[in-house]
Amino acid sequence: MFELELTPGELSLPDLKRVLAQAVRITLSPACLPGIEAAAQTVADVMAQGRTVYGINTGFGLLANTRIEADELETLQRSIVLSHAAGIGELLPEPIVRLLMVLKINSLARGYSGVRLQVIESLITLLEKEVYPCIPAKGSVGASGDLAPLAHMSAPLLGEGEVSHAGERLSAAQGLEIAGLRPLVLAPKEGLALLNGTQVSTALAVEGLLRAENALAAATVIGALTVEAARGSRTPFDGRIHAARGHRAQIDMATAYRHLLDHSQIEESHRDCRKVQDPYSLRCQPQVMGACLQQLRAAAEVILVEANAVSDNPLVFVAEGDIISGGNFHAEPIAMAADNIALAIAEIGALSERRMALLIDSQLSGLPAFLVDNGGVNSGFMIAQVTGAALASENKSLAHPASVDSLPTSANQEDHVSMATFAARRLGEMNDNTSGILAIEWLAACQGLDFLAPLCSSARLEQARSALREQVPFYDKDRYFAPDIEKAMGLVNDGALLPLLHKGCRLSN
């Protein structure tokens, strides 16, 4: 568990990465406390004045014009949480739940939501005690916020629903007892403030982004290994080529390849060969991977803004005493960012699969067919490439933009929705697929390099080869292949190759 002093609105990408990785104990910056209290008091003042304000003393959605009497307001806030907890499917993983809770705390503590400090502190306590609400993954269209999943997040505060703790699934009542809390009675606006917001979509997008960055790093290193194994040319990585085009991300990726390839015995061994050009999957890596990096950079900017945003409704503006209804809960920015990440993930995998196909083709690579001796008796990497092709094809379907879809909800009051939650959630499956493709290429590239022994690659690429060979030996004859892929995937997913990526290509340092 790590300590995080939260200044609302100032979370960084490294902060978010750390929350995904381990439990967190949050301390609110004292500077934010007066703003929280003032916003809650503004809501109380509106009630005292008898004003009718959406979300405070009215119904919700299509029922927004229905005024709720004072003696029913407590029931109103409880009812919205319970009725909206309508998600289905597998539960979101604990790291995602932990992150979305941090994002919700960050948003509420900005002082525009009108909730009491007690509500925020209850969420902080659940986090500290590692009591995580059980949240079904499906049921949000990403407009009016992530209503269903955030209702499942909020229900345990009321003593309803289920939680997980230390690997066990418990009732909310048991979870509150572990955390030393009593069920909350929500004040006006608090139920709506908890349910409105894009925190679930954003948490899923953060994870998808960080895993995509890891895939980009692995693909860059593994792609450089393939250049060496296929005795490809270094000329396409010349900085002058990329400066002439001018795309910053492409220039940075070309630098990363030069950083990895450097000089090697393998390079010297074919310096005077007759080959004029390599296939695109080798020589156009800076262009394709640069385009992917550009998408990830743009998405990271959007996602970080949203991670620090106030996205519930209505919002409380203390200075003017105004409570204004708008639409910050509409998650279109996250939906589009996630769609762009999906394109990058798909292309990273697609290019990797093509490089791997090149390696097993003896006419293109100059290596033994299917990267194995005694071909015919041994099939080598033949079906591993088929697996890579299957995964790349799946990603093409999954990359279809979710944000272009919309189905009206709430009796057409919510007549355009973002589908951001699915847009971000599907990134997990896409990253899994691309990790598998990269693992197969990594195995193939190292196999190819081993056939070039005793020649060595560059120092950095030899580190990458050694990291794999510590787990997976040379494929001398056919053996049960799946464990090799599983071990290589584990290394990819653990970020074993990320430190080898040039710092200029990382989203945060």
Side-chain angles (χ1 to χ4, degrees):
M1 181 174 287
F2 76 101
E3 305 275 349
L4 176 63
E5 181 172 340
L6 179 62
T7 299
E10 296 186 11
L11 285 171
S12 67
L13 202 55
D15 290 334
L16 304 179
K17 187 173 184 177
R18 200 170 180 192
V19 171
L20 279 170
Q22 59 182 302
V24 58
R25 179 183 292 111
I26 287 180
T27 303
L28 290 177
S29 168
C32 75
L33 302 182
I36 294 170
E37 299 290 0
Q41 185 59 50
T42 299
V43 173
D45 292 345
V46 165
M47 294 298 301
Q49 295 161 11
R51 292 161 53 190
T52 301
V53 178
Y54 170 71
I56 295 178
N57 51 11
T58 71
F60 308 108
L62 196 65
L63 305 176
N65 294 322
T66 303
R67 182 183 171 95
I68 309 298
E69 296 303 320
D71 61 353
E72 293 185 300
L73 292 178
E74 184 180 303
T75 301
L76 173 70
Q77 297 301 315
R78 180 179 178 85
S79 294
I80 189 176
V81 174
L82 300 183
S83 66
H84 284 48
I88 68 168
E90 295 183 3
L91 299 181
L92 291 174
E94 284 189 1
I96 294 293
V97 175
R98 183 167 57 240
L99 179 56
L100 71 88
M101 291 174 73
V102 169
L103 296 180
K104 176 55 78 173
I105 292 164
N106 186 44
S107 178
L108 296 178
R110 289 279 305 273
Y112 293 95
S113 300
V115 304
R116 294 165 297 159
L117 181 60
Q118 179 187 5
V119 175
I120 301 172
E121 288 178 335
S122 294
L123 286 171
I124 290 173
T125 299
L126 290 180
L127 272 177
E128 181 179 343
K129 301 300 183 181
E130 299 180 58
V131 175
Y132 301 119
C134 291
I135 304 176
K138 298 182 179 182
S140 175
V141 296
S144 276
D146 294 313
L147 291 171
L150 287 175
H152 284 279
M153 180 206 75
S154 305
L157 295 175
L158 312 183
E160 300 283 353
E162 293 182 303
V163 299
S164 65
H165 175 71
E168 290 188 69
R169 193 164 172 174
L170 308 170
S171 69
Q174 291 172 298
L176 291 179
E177 185 177 352
I178 291 168
L181 295 172
R182 300 182 66 180
L184 282 176
V185 176
L186 296 176
K189 193 184 180 304
E190 289 179 341
L192 191 58
L194 286 165
L195 269 55
N196 267 170
T198 63
Q199 286 79 32
V200 178
S201 303
T202 303
L204 289 163
V206 168
E207 185 196 44
L209 173 71
L210 293 172
R211 290 193 64 193
E213 178 189 27
N214 183 56
L216 180 112
T220 305
V221 176
I222 294 166
L225 283 169
T226 296
V227 169
E228 285 283 72
R231 284 166 285 196
S233 173
R234 283 162 165 73
T235 301
F237 308 107
D238 189 306
R240 293 170 293 179
I241 296 171
H242 308 285
R245 194 177 200 185
H247 290 296
R248 181 73 256 168
Q250 178 180 322
I251 292 167
D252 291 343
M253 287 307 305
T255 300
Y257 283 104
R258 293 195 303 273
H259 175 75
L260 288 163
L261 287 161
D262 200 10
H263 294 292
S264 73
Q265 294 175 355
I266 295 174
E267 175 194 19
E268 293 299 324
S269 74
H270 63 92
R271 184 175 293 280
D272 298 321
C273 70
R274 295 183 179 182
K275 188 187 295 184
V276 177
Q277 288 185 330
D278 294 322
Y280 289 0
S281 61
L282 296 187
R283 65 181 162 110
C284 294
Q285 288 184 83
Q287 287 82 0
V288 177
M289 299 295 281
C292 293
L293 175 60
Q294 181 58 46
Q295 296 306 310
L296 298 186
R297 284 174 171 171
E301 182 178 347
V302 171
I303 289 168
L304 189 58
V305 169
E306 194 68 15
N308 287 293
V310 180
S311 56
D312 64 288
N313 186 63
L315 299 183
V316 179
F317 295 91
V318 171
E320 300 83 5
D322 290 336
I323 301 178
I324 305 175
S325 182
N328 280 0
F329 48 66
H330 200 295
E332 194 79 358
I334 290 296
M336 288 189 171
D339 282 345
N340 288 333
I341 294 170
L343 293 176
I345 296 168
E347 282 298 272
I348 290 167
L351 197 65
S352 173
E353 186 279 326
R354 288 292 80 207
R355 291 192 301 264
M356 194 276 173
L358 180 153
L359 285 173
I360 64 172
D361 186 336
S362 59
Q363 298 301 310
L364 291 173
S365 68
L367 297 165
F370 300 108
L371 299 173
V372 70
D373 287 324
N374 198 16
V377 173
N378 293 313
S379 295
F381 282 67
M382 181 188 297
I383 303 304
Q385 187 269 328
V386 173
T387 298
L391 296 173
S393 180
E394 281 190 19
N395 272 357
K396 291 176 185 179
S397 295
L398 288 168
H400 184 279
S403 60
V404 299
D405 186 28
S406 178
L407 283 172
T409 60
S410 192
N412 281 308
Q413 176 75 0
E414 299 157 6
D415 58 350
H416 181 276
V417 300
S418 72
M419 300 299 178
T421 322
F422 170 68
R425 179 165 49 82
R426 64 63 145 92
L427 299 179
E429 184 176 356
M430 294 187 70
N431 274 311
D432 288 343
N433 288 341
T434 292
S435 292
I437 299 167
L438 291 170
I440 292 166
E441 187 195 357
W442 194 2
L443 291 165
C446 288
Q447 185 80 358
L449 288 174
D450 288 350
F451 277 118
L452 301 181
L455 298 177
C456 292
S457 186
S458 69
R460 292 184 182 90
L461 292 180
E462 286 298 330
Q463 288 181 48
R465 173 158 55 160
S466 295
L468 182 71
R469 284 288 175 249
E470 287 173 4
Q471 299 286 328
V472 182
F474 177 74
Y475 194 92
D476 58 343
K477 61 181 180 180
D478 281 349
R479 61 175 182 253
Y480 187 39
F481 209 134
D484 291 3
I485 299 173
E486 185 176 354
K487 288 175 182 176
M489 275 189 71
L491 289 170
V492 170
N493 289 330
D494 288 343
L497 297 177
L498 185 58
L500 293 175
L501 182 67
H502 191 272
K503 287 186 178 181
C505 297
R506 299 182 195 175
L507 298 180
S508 61
N509 297 314

